[in-house]
Amino acid sequence: MKRDITAQDEADRLKRHQDECGFTAFKFRIGAECGRDQDEWPGRTEEIVPLMRKSFGDETALLVDANSCYSPAKAIEVGRFLEANGISHYEEPCPYWHYDQTKQVTDALDIDVTGGEQDCSLVDWKRMIDQKVVDIIQPDICYLGGMVRTMKVAQMAHEAGIPCTPHAANLSLVTLFTMHLLRAIPNAGKYLEFSIEEEDYYPWQYDLLVKSPFDIVDGNAIVTDAPGWGVEVNPEWLAKSTYKISSLEG
């Protein structure tokens, strides 16, 4: 999910991960973050979308994230382009705080329009769900304030017939929490969002846990049945992080 690499390089690295781990779905970025209808660079979206479809067979699901890039009219135009290229998931097409704009896109397109990672108010979530602003909700457990609040949002969505595919951007505790959440709710979406970004993106995620719970086998993550969250935080990582915080405060 990088924007600072070429379309071909992004396709190549995703293909490599598929060969190694058996992933059956990938998400990639289009547009520019909060981009006001502008691309990361001219023509990038028009290049990467058909290239991804050409690079992967029909059995591989392709999803995109626009990160609040588009006005409704542009988002609908891009959405029809995505539909024509077999993309199945269109995330945060409009500025996420403008529910009315996103709903225009949802109502106009057949592709699943998704969102919600930024939203942390249960009042806003009720409005988003009641008005069917999106086809799939994507709460982030840590942004939203914990497992109980996220389960409340998932239950509201379940009652409205809306699936829940949570946002989990990195291999920290948020992905672990999400793995457990997906086992506990009745309206779990098709996917666990699973980061492939490495040290250049998230250097702090390494050695966080004594034993990683994030092994992928044939494209699937296995949720542990060990007590609690099923992991142990590495005390050396914790001590190192505490030292850094103390040094900054000093």
Side-chain angles (χ1 to χ4, degrees):
M1 291 209 50
K2 292 184 175 181
R3 284 192 170 91
D4 60 349
I5 79 178
T6 68
Q8 188 63 60
D9 285 345
E10 183 72 304
D12 289 345
R13 77 175 184 137
L14 297 185
K15 192 70 175 73
R16 184 175 68 254
H17 280 286
Q18 185 173 61
D19 293 342
E20 292 172 355
C21 301
F23 291 117
T24 58
F26 290 103
K27 184 163 69 174
F28 59 96
R29 296 189 191 275
I30 61 170
E33 187 171 359
C34 297
R36 296 178 179 269
D37 287 343
Q38 300 301 307
D39 215 337
E40 188 71 9
W41 62 77
R44 180 183 178 278
T45 295
E46 288 79 3
E47 179 185 6
I48 196 170
V49 171
L51 176 63
M52 287 292 184
R53 186 70 281 168
K54 181 180 177 182
S55 299
F56 296 92
D58 292 340
E59 69 279 3
T60 300
L62 295 177
L63 301 74
V64 301
D65 191 346
N67 293 113
S68 296
C69 180
Y70 303 119
S71 63
K74 182 66 174 178
I76 292 168
E77 175 189 333
V78 171
R80 291 186 175 133
F81 173 61
L82 298 174
E83 290 175 342
N85 282 275
I87 310 300
S88 59
H89 167 121
Y90 189 11
E91 187 168 335
E92 212 172 271
C94 298
Y96 69 85
W97 56 95
H98 287 306
Y99 293 169
D100 58 325
Q101 293 187 15
T102 301
K103 182 166 174 53
Q104 290 180 54
V105 182
T106 301
D107 290 346
L109 299 175
D110 294 326
I111 190 174
D112 285 333
V113 175
T114 77
E117 69 183 69
Q118 316 280 0
D119 294 279
C120 55
S121 163
L122 294 182
V123 173
D124 286 340
W125 271 111
K126 186 174 190 313
R127 180 160 60 98
M128 185 190 301
I129 290 166
D130 286 350
Q131 296 176 8
K132 289 187 163 50
V133 170
V134 293
D135 297 303
I136 298 172
I137 63 163
Q138 295 191 271
D140 183 298
I141 294 170
C142 291
Y143 293 174
L144 183 49
M147 186 66 78
V148 172
R149 284 167 60 87
T150 308
M151 291 184 75
K152 287 181 180 179
V153 168
Q155 182 60 32
M156 282 193 285
H158 172 59
E159 292 169 3
I162 299 173
C164 177
T165 301
H167 174 257
N170 51 67
L171 298 183
S172 66
L173 293 176
V174 67
T175 297
L176 178 68
F177 297 159
T178 301
M179 291 163 70
H180 284 277
L181 177 77
L182 289 172
R183 285 180 48 168
I185 60 176
N187 56 330
K190 298 177 183 178
Y191 313 110
L192 166 72
E193 185 166 32
F194 191 88
S195 173
I196 61 169
E197 301 308 338
E198 298 177 347
E199 289 185 80
D200 59 329
Y201 228 70
Y202 298 120
W204 48 264
Q205 70 185 358
Y206 292 89
D207 301 320
L208 168 62
L209 304 173
V210 172
K211 184 179 185 301
S212 172
F214 301 132
D215 294 334
I216 301 296
V217 179
D218 295 332
N220 296 302
I222 307 301
V223 186
T224 176
D225 286 323
W229 296 114
V231 298
E232 181 183 353
V233 175
N234 185 343
E236 293 182 8
W237 185 96
L238 199 58
K240 189 184 303 182
S241 300
T242 303
Y243 172 75
K244 288 181 179 177
I245 293 171
S246 300
S247 298
L248 287 171
E249 290 176 345

